[in-house]
Amino acid sequence: MRVVTWIVAALLLATGASAKDMLTLGVTLEPDHLDPTAGAAAAIDEIVYANVFEGLTRFDETGAVKPQLATSWTISGDGLTYTFALKPGVKFHDGAALTSADVKFSFDRARAPDSVNAQKGLFAAIDKVEAVDPQTARVTLARSEGALLFNLAWGDAVIVSPASAAGNKTNPIGTGPFRFQRWVQGDRVQLVRADARAKLAAATFKFIPDPAAQVAALLAGDIDVLPNAAAPEALQQLSVDRRFEVAVGTTEGETILAINNARKPFDDVRVRQALSYAVDRKAIIDGAMYGYGTPIGTHFAPHHPAYVDLTGLYPYDPAKARALLQAAGLAQGFKATLKLPPPSYARRGGEIIAAQLKQIGVSVEIVPVEWAQWLSQVFRDSDFDLTIVSHTEPMDIEIYGREKYYFNYRSDPVRAALRALDRTPGEAERFGLYRQVERLIAEDAANVFLFQLAKTGVWRRGLVGMWRSSPVQANDLTGVYWLE
Amino acid sequence: MLTLLGRRLIGALLALLLASLIVFVVLEVLPGDAAQLMLGINADPAALAALRAELGLDRPAPARFLLWLAELLQGELGRSHTNARPVAALIGERLGVTVPLALFAFLLSTNLAVPLGFLAALRRDRAGDVVVMALSQLGLAVPEFWLGLLLILLFAVSLGWLPAGGFPGWQGGVGGALAALLLPAVTLGLNQAAILARVARRAAITALAADHVRTARAKGLSEPRVILGHVLRNTLATLLALMGLQLAFLLAGVIVVENLFYLPGLGRLLLQAVTQRDVVVVRDLVLLFVFVAIALNFLVDVLVAVIDPRPRATA
């Protein structure tokens, strides 16, 4: 009798009570470490952003900037001084109270000459940071920076404590609703509830690199959620399975066929336009992404209010593409290499693009590369003709104005418009300038703009509050809970 | 015997030194910059330089090579570039998965393959032989990731008997840990067994045809005594040599299976370290694998010498 009672109790523990406030997520990549202020890997933010670490501001699910550790702020008339009022009563997970000294420490550390912050540019306009009183921090800018509040919402700008910052790579200590508990390298990271904001008692991120194994783990009940299912081919099957809910949302990932604008023959705008006409975006989205993805005609997220739909500028038209090549003196076509990094959008999309370019006489040699090679050969040394990559940083159209950037695009009107953006804090004017840049780069056919990556999440029915879209690569679990 | 041992030991040390040089040079030549990988595409040049200095990557290659050797001689394995944890600890954690998995797969493979190989040899060209050889052909042809996926779909998804992957750790109980290793071990074991069974069959056929076996049979020895006492013993040298290779292969981190079953073993550590260009981890790991291979080889040589007296007599 006693044995039976024990077994029943154990079963209840295993299935009922405990399962309803615990969550297990499957993610593809394991981060190298867990400090978002010392690495660019999206895998870091996927675990700690908004869960463990918080910034003065943050992004919500729509990508809008919201207050987080700062409850309010005032901006001086010249736009150069921001005064932030900190949320009272906030504590780091090691018990230390959050004060404006931590804000000063975090930003000064990110800006320092020996800083290893991956997005140091976010802080470039800052001249000094002062702790006015324990609850008030003042940031003074050397030049106006219309995007400061946006910049401070990035995971790279979270507030850390001087007492724990050095250990954040393996023992991250922040102010978020979840506290870091354990990292079993190669296997999982466990977070537990730090305060009442978290509805879940615990969350586990399991690292499952193989796309098919991710789906199997979900079907077997080993995990509850795949925030970004790596196997789009399985979504059809999962969406008709009543146990699961499939959510297709948006990301900030503009996927492009990047062109080395400095290399012949791509320095000729007619050649770049010919490539744009030769590529059938729909075939790529259907063939490489199983239909998940939104076509884009410029380097901007379609869900953003400042987006201009330019997909009609270069409709799929191989005849026109051939005519443009002829005009450029390349009637015989030419040869080019296409370097493809590991993600499936690139490897699968690259095969389709190579076939499409063949139609207009461009014979493409496909060169698969791993990320390390891509970063050093393509990104650092600009040693490429064509490549496919998804630019996942939010609002990154400013890369078209950079002095030295891997695709070597150069346009004075674009640079002038981007400089004007830096000086403009007003939203309506900013949107106008963005639209102007969007048009300019599309007319120049700086790259072939393919599609916006979709976020394809799958989770067990009854789970509420998961992000459907991801303006940053994050899994904010604060509002996530199980329906009884 | 002792001079043989001494010569082997010096050879092993030279092999290790040569391996360390090769590993270091290959990692130098391989394109990719650890600092750029960590800081990504928006990284500021000053931040990249600061990180390279922090990792010691700004020093010239020969200096880094000598520093590594000096550290190794002191028993120091260095710290991971990416998360600053000691490499010894990283490897130590993973051994708790890879060693049991390798032994598990090895036991399955050996216990399955050797009897089947012998069976096939004794039933040569008859039904039993054909079936065993067909199965081993299939075992060789089926890729591990596919076999593993089929096993997951059957035993984890449809039947729900075993987990689809992951490793709960030994502190959670031996039962759970073994359950997590069962499907990966079967996946690995079947593949290895397919090779071993073919070799066992071939060795047994040769041994069965030997004169002393005929003599033993003529003397009226029972068939089991002929097999165990005369045939098995004569095939052991061949089998041990292959088994040593197979165990070394299994211990050297089985990347595909560890990735598919998301097991935190040495193979996954190596794969992650290579993709992150975490050269400190990669070179120490590769050297460890070389060491394991040499040690197993040495062990096999000693065992063969014990079993087979002929080389001893001439040495």
Coordinates of all heavy atoms in Angstrom, one line a residue, chain A residues 30 32-33 38-40 114-120 169-170 182 185-188 207-210 212-213 216-217 219-220 222 370 372-373 375-377 379-380 393 402 405, chain B residues 31-33 36-44 46-47 50-51 54 82-83 85 90 93-94 149 152 156-157 163-168 171 259-260 262 264 268 272 275-277:
Chain A
E30 N 24.7 26.7 -29.0 CA 25.2 26.9 -27.7 C 26.1 28.2 -27.7 O 27.0 28.2 -28.5 CB 26.0 25.7 -27.1 CG 26.5 26.0 -25.7 CD 27.1 24.7 -25.1 OE1 27.3 23.8 -25.8 OE2 27.2 24.8 -23.8
D32 N 29.2 30.7 -26.7 CA 30.5 30.5 -26.1 C 30.6 30.8 -24.7 O 31.3 30.3 -23.9 CB 31.6 31.3 -26.8 CG 31.3 31.8 -28.2 OD1 30.6 31.0 -28.9 OD2 31.7 32.9 -28.6
H33 N 29.8 31.9 -24.3 CA 29.7 32.3 -22.9 C 28.4 33.1 -22.8 O 27.6 33.2 -23.7 CB 30.9 33.2 -22.6 CG 31.0 34.5 -23.4 ND1 30.2 35.6 -23.2 CD2 31.8 34.8 -24.5 CE1 30.5 36.5 -24.0 NE2 31.5 36.0 -24.9
A38 N 30.1 41.2 -24.1 CA 31.4 40.8 -24.6 C 31.4 39.8 -25.7 O 32.3 39.0 -25.9 CB 32.3 40.2 -23.4
G39 N 30.3 39.8 -26.5 CA 30.2 38.9 -27.6 C 29.0 39.2 -28.5 O 28.0 39.8 -28.0
A40 N 29.1 38.9 -29.8 CA 28.0 39.3 -30.7 C 27.0 38.1 -30.9 O 26.0 38.3 -31.5 CB 28.6 39.7 -32.0
D114 N 40.1 49.5 -23.8 CA 40.3 48.0 -23.8 C 39.0 47.2 -23.8 O 39.0 46.0 -23.6 CB 41.2 47.6 -22.7 CG 40.5 47.9 -21.3 OD1 39.5 48.6 -21.3 OD2 41.0 47.4 -20.3
S115 N 37.9 47.9 -24.2 CA 36.6 47.3 -24.2 C 36.5 46.2 -25.2 O 37.0 46.3 -26.3 CB 35.5 48.3 -24.4 OG 34.4 47.7 -25.0
V116 N 35.8 45.1 -24.9 CA 35.6 44.0 -25.9 C 34.2 44.0 -26.3 O 33.6 42.9 -26.7 CB 36.2 42.7 -25.5 CG1 37.7 42.7 -25.4 CG2 35.6 42.2 -24.2
N117 N 33.4 45.1 -26.1 CA 32.0 45.1 -26.5 C 31.9 44.9 -28.0 O 32.6 45.6 -28.8 CB 31.4 46.4 -26.0 CG 29.9 46.3 -26.0 OD1 29.3 46.2 -27.1 ND2 29.3 46.3 -24.9
A118 N 31.0 44.0 -28.4 CA 30.9 43.7 -29.8 C 30.2 44.9 -30.6 O 30.2 44.9 -31.8 CB 30.1 42.4 -30.0
Q119 N 29.5 45.7 -29.9 CA 28.7 46.8 -30.6 C 29.2 48.1 -30.0 O 28.4 49.0 -29.5 CB 27.2 46.6 -30.4 CG 26.7 45.3 -30.7 CD 26.6 45.1 -32.2 OE1 26.8 46.0 -33.0 NE2 26.3 43.8 -32.6
K120 N 30.5 48.3 -29.9 CA 31.0 49.5 -29.3 C 30.5 50.8 -30.0 O 30.3 51.8 -29.3 CB 32.6 49.5 -29.5 CG 33.3 50.0 -28.3 CD 34.8 49.8 -28.4 CE 35.5 50.8 -27.6 NZ 37.0 50.7 -27.8
K169 N 30.7 35.8 -17.8 CA 30.8 34.9 -18.9 C 30.3 33.5 -18.5 O 29.7 32.8 -19.3 CB 32.2 34.8 -19.4 CG 32.6 35.9 -20.3 CD 34.0 35.7 -20.9 CE 34.2 36.8 -22.0 NZ 35.5 36.6 -22.6
T170 N 30.6 33.1 -17.3 CA 30.2 31.8 -16.8 C 29.2 31.8 -15.7 O 28.5 30.8 -15.4 CB 31.3 30.9 -16.4 OG1 32.2 31.6 -15.6 CG2 32.2 30.5 -17.6
R182 N 22.6 27.3 -13.6 CA 23.6 26.3 -13.9 C 23.8 26.2 -15.4 O 22.8 26.4 -16.2 CB 23.0 24.9 -13.5 CG 23.9 23.8 -13.2 CD 23.2 22.9 -12.3 NE 22.8 21.7 -12.9 CZ 23.7 20.6 -13.0 NH1 24.9 20.7 -12.6 NH2 23.2 19.5 -13.6
Q185 N 27.8 22.6 -19.8 CA 28.3 22.9 -21.2 C 28.1 21.7 -22.1 O 28.3 20.6 -21.7 CB 29.8 23.4 -21.1 CG 29.8 24.9 -20.8 CD 31.2 25.4 -20.9 OE1 32.1 24.9 -20.2 NE2 31.4 26.4 -21.6
G186 N 27.6 22.1 -23.3 CA 27.3 21.0 -24.3 C 25.9 20.5 -24.1 O 25.4 19.7 -25.0
D187 N 25.2 20.9 -23.1 CA 23.9 20.3 -22.8 C 22.8 21.4 -22.6 O 21.9 21.5 -23.4 CB 24.0 19.4 -21.7 CG 22.7 18.6 -21.5 OD1 22.2 18.1 -22.5 OD2 22.3 18.4 -20.3
R188 N 22.9 22.2 -21.5 CA 21.8 23.1 -21.2 C 22.2 24.2 -20.3 O 23.3 24.2 -19.6 CB 20.7 22.3 -20.5 CG 21.1 21.7 -19.2 CD 20.0 20.8 -18.6 NE 20.4 20.3 -17.3 CZ 21.1 19.2 -17.0 NH1 21.7 18.5 -18.0 NH2 21.4 18.9 -15.8
F207 N 20.5 22.6 -25.8 CA 21.1 22.9 -27.1 C 21.0 21.7 -28.0 O 21.6 20.6 -27.7 CB 22.6 23.3 -26.9 CG 22.8 24.4 -25.8 CD1 23.4 24.1 -24.7 CD2 22.2 25.6 -26.0 CE1 23.6 25.1 -23.7 CE2 22.3 26.6 -25.1 CZ 23.0 26.4 -23.9
I208 N 20.2 21.8 -29.1 CA 20.0 20.7 -30.0 C 20.4 21.2 -31.4 O 19.6 21.9 -32.0 CB 18.5 20.3 -30.0 CG1 18.1 20.1 -28.5 CG2 18.4 19.0 -30.8 CD1 16.7 19.6 -28.4
P209 N 21.6 20.8 -31.8 CA 22.1 21.4 -33.1 C 21.4 20.8 -34.3 O 21.2 21.5 -35.3 CB 23.6 21.0 -33.1 CG 23.7 19.9 -32.2 CD 22.6 20.0 -31.2
D210 N 21.0 19.6 -34.3 CA 20.4 18.9 -35.5 C 19.0 19.3 -35.7 O 18.2 19.0 -34.8 CB 20.6 17.4 -35.4 CG 20.2 16.7 -36.7 OD1 21.1 16.6 -37.5 OD2 19.1 16.3 -36.8
A212 N 16.5 17.9 -37.4 CA 15.6 16.8 -37.3 C 15.5 16.3 -35.8 O 14.4 15.9 -35.3 CB 16.0 15.6 -38.2
A213 N 16.6 16.4 -35.1 CA 16.6 16.0 -33.7 C 15.8 16.9 -32.9 O 15.1 16.6 -31.9 CB 18.0 15.9 -33.2
A216 N 12.2 15.8 -33.3 CA 12.0 14.6 -32.6 C 11.9 14.8 -31.1 O 11.1 14.3 -30.4 CB 13.1 13.6 -32.9
A217 N 12.7 15.8 -30.6 CA 12.7 16.1 -29.1 C 11.4 16.7 -28.7 O 10.8 16.4 -27.7 CB 13.9 17.0 -28.8
L219 N 8.5 16.2 -30.4 CA 7.5 15.2 -30.5 C 7.5 14.2 -29.3 O 6.5 13.7 -28.9 CB 7.6 14.4 -31.8 CG 7.3 15.2 -33.1 CD1 7.7 14.4 -34.3 CD2 5.8 15.5 -33.1
A220 N 8.7 13.9 -28.9 CA 8.9 13.0 -27.8 C 8.6 13.6 -26.4 O 8.6 12.9 -25.4 CB 10.3 12.4 -27.8
D222 N 10.5 15.8 -24.9 CA 11.7 16.2 -24.1 C 11.8 17.7 -24.0 O 12.4 18.2 -23.0 CB 12.9 15.6 -24.8 CG 13.0 14.1 -24.7 OD1 12.1 13.5 -24.1 OD2 14.0 13.6 -25.3
E370 N 32.5 27.9 -43.9 CA 32.0 27.9 -42.5 C 32.1 29.4 -42.0 O 32.7 30.2 -42.7 CB 32.6 26.9 -41.6 CG 34.1 26.8 -41.8 CD 34.8 26.3 -40.6 OE1 34.2 26.2 -39.5 OE2 36.0 26.0 -40.8
A372 N 33.6 30.9 -39.7 CA 35.0 31.5 -39.5 C 35.6 32.0 -40.8 O 36.2 33.0 -40.8 CB 35.8 30.5 -38.8
Q373 N 35.5 31.1 -41.8 CA 36.0 31.5 -43.1 C 35.3 32.7 -43.7 O 35.8 33.6 -44.3 CB 35.9 30.4 -44.1 CG 36.9 29.3 -44.0 CD 36.5 28.1 -44.9 OE1 35.5 27.5 -44.6 NE2 37.3 27.9 -45.9
L375 N 33.7 35.1 -42.2 CA 34.0 36.3 -41.5 C 35.4 36.8 -41.9 O 35.6 38.0 -42.1 CB 34.0 36.1 -40.0 CG 32.7 36.2 -39.3 CD1 32.8 35.8 -37.8 CD2 32.1 37.6 -39.4
S376 N 36.4 35.9 -42.1 CA 37.7 36.5 -42.4 C 37.8 36.7 -43.9 O 38.3 37.8 -44.3 CB 38.8 35.6 -41.9 OG 38.7 34.3 -42.5
Q377 N 37.3 35.8 -44.8 CA 37.4 36.1 -46.2 C 36.5 37.1 -46.8 O 36.9 38.1 -47.4 CB 37.3 34.7 -47.0 CG 38.3 33.7 -46.7 CD 38.1 32.4 -47.4 OE1 37.1 32.2 -48.1 NE2 39.0 31.5 -47.3
F379 N 33.8 38.9 -45.0 CA 33.5 40.1 -44.3 C 34.7 41.0 -44.0 O 34.7 42.2 -44.3 CB 32.9 39.7 -42.9 CG 32.3 40.9 -42.2 CD1 31.1 41.4 -42.6 CD2 33.0 41.5 -41.2 CE1 30.6 42.6 -42.0 CE2 32.5 42.6 -40.6 CZ 31.3 43.2 -41.0
R380 N 35.8 40.4 -43.6 CA 37.0 41.2 -43.3 C 37.8 41.7 -44.5 O 38.1 42.8 -44.7 CB 37.9 40.5 -42.3 CG 39.0 41.4 -41.7 CD 40.0 40.7 -40.9 NE 40.6 39.7 -41.7 CZ 41.2 38.6 -41.3 NH1 41.2 38.3 -40.0 NH2 41.8 37.7 -42.1
E393 N 20.9 42.3 -37.4 CA 20.9 43.5 -36.5 C 19.7 44.4 -36.8 O 19.4 44.6 -38.0 CB 22.1 44.3 -36.6 CG 23.4 43.7 -36.0 CD 23.9 42.5 -36.8 OE1 23.6 42.4 -38.0 OE2 24.6 41.7 -36.2
R402 N 28.8 53.1 -44.5 CA 30.1 52.9 -43.9 C 31.2 53.1 -44.9 O 31.1 52.7 -46.0 CB 30.2 51.6 -43.2 CG 29.2 51.5 -42.1 CD 29.8 50.5 -41.0 NE 28.7 50.3 -40.1 CZ 28.7 49.2 -39.3 NH1 29.7 48.3 -39.4 NH2 27.7 49.0 -38.4
Y405 N 33.1 48.7 -45.8 CA 32.2 47.6 -45.4 C 32.3 46.5 -46.5 O 32.5 46.8 -47.7 CB 30.7 48.1 -45.3 CG 29.9 47.2 -44.4 CD1 30.2 47.1 -43.0 CD2 28.8 46.5 -44.8 CE1 29.5 46.3 -42.2 CE2 28.0 45.7 -44.0 CZ 28.4 45.6 -42.7 OH 27.7 44.8 -41.8
Chain B
P31 N 41.7 29.4 -42.1 CA 41.3 30.8 -42.1 C 40.2 31.0 -40.9 O 39.6 30.1 -40.6 CB 40.6 31.0 -43.5 CG 40.3 29.7 -44.0 CD 41.3 28.7 -43.3
G32 N 40.2 32.2 -40.4 CA 39.2 32.5 -39.3 C 39.9 33.1 -38.1 O 41.1 32.7 -37.8
D33 N 39.3 34.0 -37.5 CA 39.9 34.8 -36.5 C 38.9 34.7 -35.2 O 37.8 35.1 -35.3 CB 40.0 36.3 -37.0 CG 40.4 37.2 -35.9 OD1 40.5 36.8 -34.7 OD2 40.5 38.4 -36.2
Q36 N 37.2 38.0 -34.1 CA 36.1 38.4 -35.0 C 34.9 37.5 -34.9 O 33.8 38.0 -34.9 CB 36.6 38.4 -36.5 CG 35.5 38.9 -37.5 CD 35.7 40.3 -37.8 OE1 36.7 40.8 -38.3 NE2 34.7 41.1 -37.5
L37 N 35.1 36.2 -34.7 CA 34.0 35.3 -34.5 C 33.2 35.7 -33.2 O 32.0 35.6 -33.2 CB 34.5 33.9 -34.4 CG 34.5 33.1 -35.7 CD1 35.3 31.9 -35.5 CD2 33.1 32.8 -36.1
M38 N 33.9 36.1 -32.2 CA 33.2 36.4 -30.9 C 32.5 37.7 -31.0 O 31.4 37.8 -30.5 CB 34.2 36.4 -29.8 CG 34.5 35.0 -29.2 SD 35.8 35.0 -28.0 CE 34.9 35.6 -26.6
L39 N 33.1 38.7 -31.6 CA 32.6 40.0 -31.6 C 31.7 40.3 -32.8 O 31.0 41.3 -32.8 CB 33.7 41.1 -31.4 CG 34.5 40.9 -30.1 CD1 35.4 42.1 -30.0 CD2 33.6 40.8 -28.9
G40 N 31.7 39.5 -33.8 CA 30.7 39.6 -34.9 C 31.0 40.7 -35.8 O 32.1 41.3 -35.9
I41 N 30.0 41.0 -36.7 CA 30.3 41.9 -37.8 C 30.3 43.4 -37.5 O 30.7 44.2 -38.4 CB 29.3 41.5 -39.0 CG1 27.9 41.8 -38.6 CG2 29.5 40.1 -39.5 CD1 26.9 41.6 -39.7
N42 N 29.8 43.8 -36.4 CA 29.7 45.2 -36.1 C 30.9 45.6 -35.2 O 31.0 46.7 -34.8 CB 28.4 45.6 -35.4 CG 27.3 45.9 -36.4 OD1 27.6 46.1 -37.6 ND2 26.1 46.0 -35.9
A43 N 31.8 44.7 -35.0 CA 32.9 44.9 -34.0 C 33.8 46.1 -34.4 O 34.2 46.2 -35.6 CB 33.7 43.7 -33.8
D44 N 34.1 46.9 -33.4 CA 35.0 48.0 -33.6 C 36.4 47.5 -33.7 O 36.8 46.6 -33.0 CB 34.8 48.9 -32.3 CG 35.6 50.1 -32.3 OD1 36.7 50.0 -31.8 OD2 35.1 51.1 -32.7
A46 N 39.2 48.6 -32.6 CA 39.9 48.7 -31.3 C 39.4 47.6 -30.4 O 40.3 47.0 -29.7 CB 39.6 50.1 -30.7
A47 N 38.1 47.2 -30.4 CA 37.6 46.2 -29.6 C 38.2 44.8 -30.0 O 38.6 44.0 -29.2 CB 36.1 46.1 -29.6
A50 N 41.8 44.7 -28.8 CA 41.8 44.5 -27.3 C 41.6 43.0 -27.0 O 42.3 42.4 -26.2 CB 40.7 45.4 -26.6
L51 N 40.6 42.4 -27.7 CA 40.3 41.0 -27.5 C 41.5 40.1 -27.9 O 41.9 39.2 -27.2 CB 39.0 40.6 -28.2 CG 38.6 39.2 -27.9 CD1 38.4 38.9 -26.4 CD2 37.3 38.8 -28.6
E54 N 44.0 40.3 -25.3 CA 43.6 39.5 -24.1 C 43.8 38.0 -24.3 O 44.1 37.3 -23.4 CB 42.1 39.8 -23.9 CG 41.5 39.5 -22.5 CD 40.0 39.8 -22.5 OE1 39.7 40.9 -22.7 OE2 39.3 38.8 -22.2
T82 N 37.1 31.2 -25.6 CA 35.8 31.8 -25.6 C 35.1 32.1 -24.3 O 34.4 33.0 -24.1 CB 34.8 30.9 -26.5 OG1 34.9 29.6 -26.0 CG2 35.2 31.0 -27.9
N83 N 35.4 31.2 -23.3 CA 34.7 31.4 -22.0 C 35.7 31.4 -20.8 O 35.2 31.3 -19.7 CB 33.5 30.5 -21.8 CG 33.8 29.1 -22.0 OD1 34.9 28.6 -21.5 ND2 33.0 28.4 -22.7
R85 N 37.2 29.2 -19.3 CA 37.3 28.1 -18.4 C 38.5 27.2 -18.7 O 38.9 27.1 -19.8 CB 36.0 27.3 -18.5 CG 34.8 28.0 -18.0 CD 33.6 27.0 -17.8 NE 34.0 25.9 -16.9 CZ 33.4 24.7 -16.9 NH1 32.5 24.5 -17.7 NH2 33.9 23.8 -16.1
L90 N 36.9 21.5 -18.9 CA 36.0 21.2 -20.0 C 36.1 19.8 -20.4 O 35.1 19.1 -20.7 CB 36.4 22.1 -21.2 CG 36.0 23.6 -21.1 CD1 36.6 24.4 -22.2 CD2 34.5 23.7 -21.1
E93 N 34.6 17.2 -17.8 CA 33.2 17.0 -17.8 C 32.7 16.1 -18.9 O 31.8 15.3 -18.7 CB 32.5 18.4 -18.0 CG 32.6 19.3 -16.9 CD 32.2 20.8 -17.3 OE1 31.8 20.9 -18.5 OE2 32.3 21.7 -16.5
R94 N 33.4 16.3 -20.1 CA 32.9 15.5 -21.2 C 33.3 14.1 -21.2 O 32.6 13.2 -21.8 CB 33.5 16.2 -22.5 CG 33.2 17.6 -22.6 CD 31.7 17.9 -22.8 NE 31.5 19.4 -22.9 CZ 31.1 20.0 -24.0 NH1 30.9 19.3 -25.1 NH2 30.9 21.3 -23.9
L149 N 18.3 8.6 -36.3 CA 17.0 9.2 -36.4 C 15.9 8.2 -36.4 O 14.8 8.4 -35.8 CB 17.0 10.1 -37.7 CG 16.1 11.3 -37.7 CD1 16.4 12.2 -36.5 CD2 16.3 12.1 -39.0
I152 N 15.4 7.1 -32.9 CA 14.7 8.1 -32.1 C 13.2 8.1 -32.4 O 12.4 8.1 -31.5 CB 15.3 9.5 -32.5 CG1 16.7 9.6 -32.0 CG2 14.4 10.6 -31.8 CD1 17.4 10.9 -32.4
A156 N 11.7 6.8 -29.1 CA 11.4 8.0 -28.3 C 10.1 8.6 -28.7 O 9.3 8.9 -27.9 CB 12.6 9.0 -28.5
V157 N 9.9 8.8 -30.0 CA 8.6 9.5 -30.5 C 7.4 8.6 -30.4 O 6.4 8.9 -29.8 CB 8.8 10.1 -31.9 CG1 7.6 10.8 -32.3 CG2 10.0 11.2 -31.8
P163 N 14.5 8.6 -24.0 CA 14.5 10.1 -24.3 C 15.1 10.2 -25.8 O 15.8 9.3 -26.2 CB 15.5 10.7 -23.3 CG 16.3 9.5 -22.8 CD 15.4 8.3 -22.9
A164 N 14.7 11.3 -26.4 CA 15.1 11.5 -27.8 C 16.6 12.0 -27.9 O 17.2 12.0 -28.9 CB 14.2 12.5 -28.5
G165 N 17.1 12.4 -26.8 CA 18.5 12.9 -26.8 C 18.8 13.5 -25.4 O 18.0 13.5 -24.5
G166 N 19.9 14.1 -25.4 CA 20.3 14.8 -24.2 C 20.9 13.9 -23.1 O 20.9 12.6 -23.3
F167 N 21.5 14.4 -22.1 CA 22.2 13.6 -21.1 C 21.8 14.2 -19.7 O 22.2 15.4 -19.4 CB 23.7 13.6 -21.3 CG 24.4 12.6 -20.4 CD1 24.2 11.2 -20.6 CD2 25.2 13.0 -19.4 CE1 24.8 10.3 -19.8 CE2 25.8 12.1 -18.6 CZ 25.6 10.7 -18.8
P168 N 21.1 13.5 -18.8 CA 20.7 14.0 -17.6 C 21.9 14.1 -16.5 O 21.7 14.8 -15.5 CB 19.7 13.1 -17.1 CG 20.0 11.8 -17.7 CD 20.6 12.1 -19.0
Q171 N 24.8 12.2 -11.7 CA 24.3 12.4 -10.3 C 22.8 12.3 -10.2 O 22.3 12.1 -9.2 CB 24.8 13.8 -9.8 CG 24.1 15.0 -10.6 CD 24.8 15.3 -11.9 OE1 25.7 14.5 -12.4 NE2 24.4 16.4 -12.6
N259 N 26.1 14.9 -31.9 CA 25.4 16.0 -32.4 C 23.9 15.7 -32.5 O 23.0 16.4 -32.1 CB 25.9 16.5 -33.8 CG 26.3 17.9 -33.8 OD1 26.5 18.5 -32.7 ND2 26.4 18.5 -34.9
L260 N 23.6 14.5 -33.1 CA 22.3 14.1 -33.3 C 21.5 13.9 -32.0 O 20.4 14.3 -31.8 CB 22.3 12.8 -34.1 CG 20.9 12.2 -34.5 CD1 20.2 13.2 -35.4 CD2 21.0 10.9 -35.2
Y262 N 22.4 15.2 -29.2 CA 22.8 16.3 -28.4 C 23.4 15.9 -27.0 O 22.9 16.3 -26.0 CB 21.8 17.4 -28.2 CG 20.4 17.1 -27.9 CD1 19.9 17.3 -26.6 CD2 19.5 16.5 -28.9 CE1 18.6 17.0 -26.3 CE2 18.2 16.2 -28.6 CZ 17.7 16.4 -27.3 OH 16.4 16.1 -27.0
P264 N 26.6 16.0 -24.4 CA 27.7 16.8 -24.1 C 29.0 16.0 -24.0 O 29.6 15.8 -23.0 CB 27.4 17.5 -22.8 CG 26.4 16.5 -22.2 CD 25.7 15.8 -23.3
R268 N 31.4 16.7 -29.6 CA 30.7 18.0 -29.7 C 31.6 19.1 -29.2 O 31.5 20.2 -29.8 CB 29.4 17.9 -28.9 CG 28.2 18.4 -29.7 CD 27.0 18.2 -28.9 NE 26.2 19.4 -29.1 CZ 25.2 19.7 -28.2 NH1 25.0 19.0 -27.2 NH2 24.5 20.8 -28.4
Q272 N 32.4 22.2 -31.6 CA 32.1 23.6 -31.3 C 33.4 24.4 -31.2 O 33.5 25.6 -31.6 CB 31.5 23.7 -29.9 CG 30.0 23.2 -29.9 CD 29.3 23.2 -28.6 OE1 30.0 23.1 -27.6 NE2 28.0 23.4 -28.5
T275 N 34.5 25.3 -34.8 CA 33.7 26.3 -35.4 C 34.0 27.7 -34.8 O 33.8 28.7 -35.4 CB 32.2 26.0 -35.4 OG1 31.9 25.6 -34.1 CG2 31.9 25.0 -36.4
Q276 N 34.3 27.7 -33.5 CA 34.6 29.0 -32.8 C 36.0 29.4 -32.9 O 36.4 30.4 -32.3 CB 34.2 28.9 -31.3 CG 32.7 28.8 -31.1 CD 31.9 30.0 -31.6 OE1 32.5 31.1 -31.7 NE2 30.7 29.8 -32.0
R277 N 36.9 28.5 -33.6 CA 38.3 28.8 -33.6 C 38.9 29.0 -32.2 O 39.8 29.8 -32.0 CB 38.6 30.0 -34.5 CG 38.3 29.9 -35.9 CD 39.2 28.9 -36.6 NE 38.9 28.8 -38.0 CZ 38.1 28.0 -38.6 NH1 37.4 27.1 -37.8 NH2 37.9 27.9 -39.9

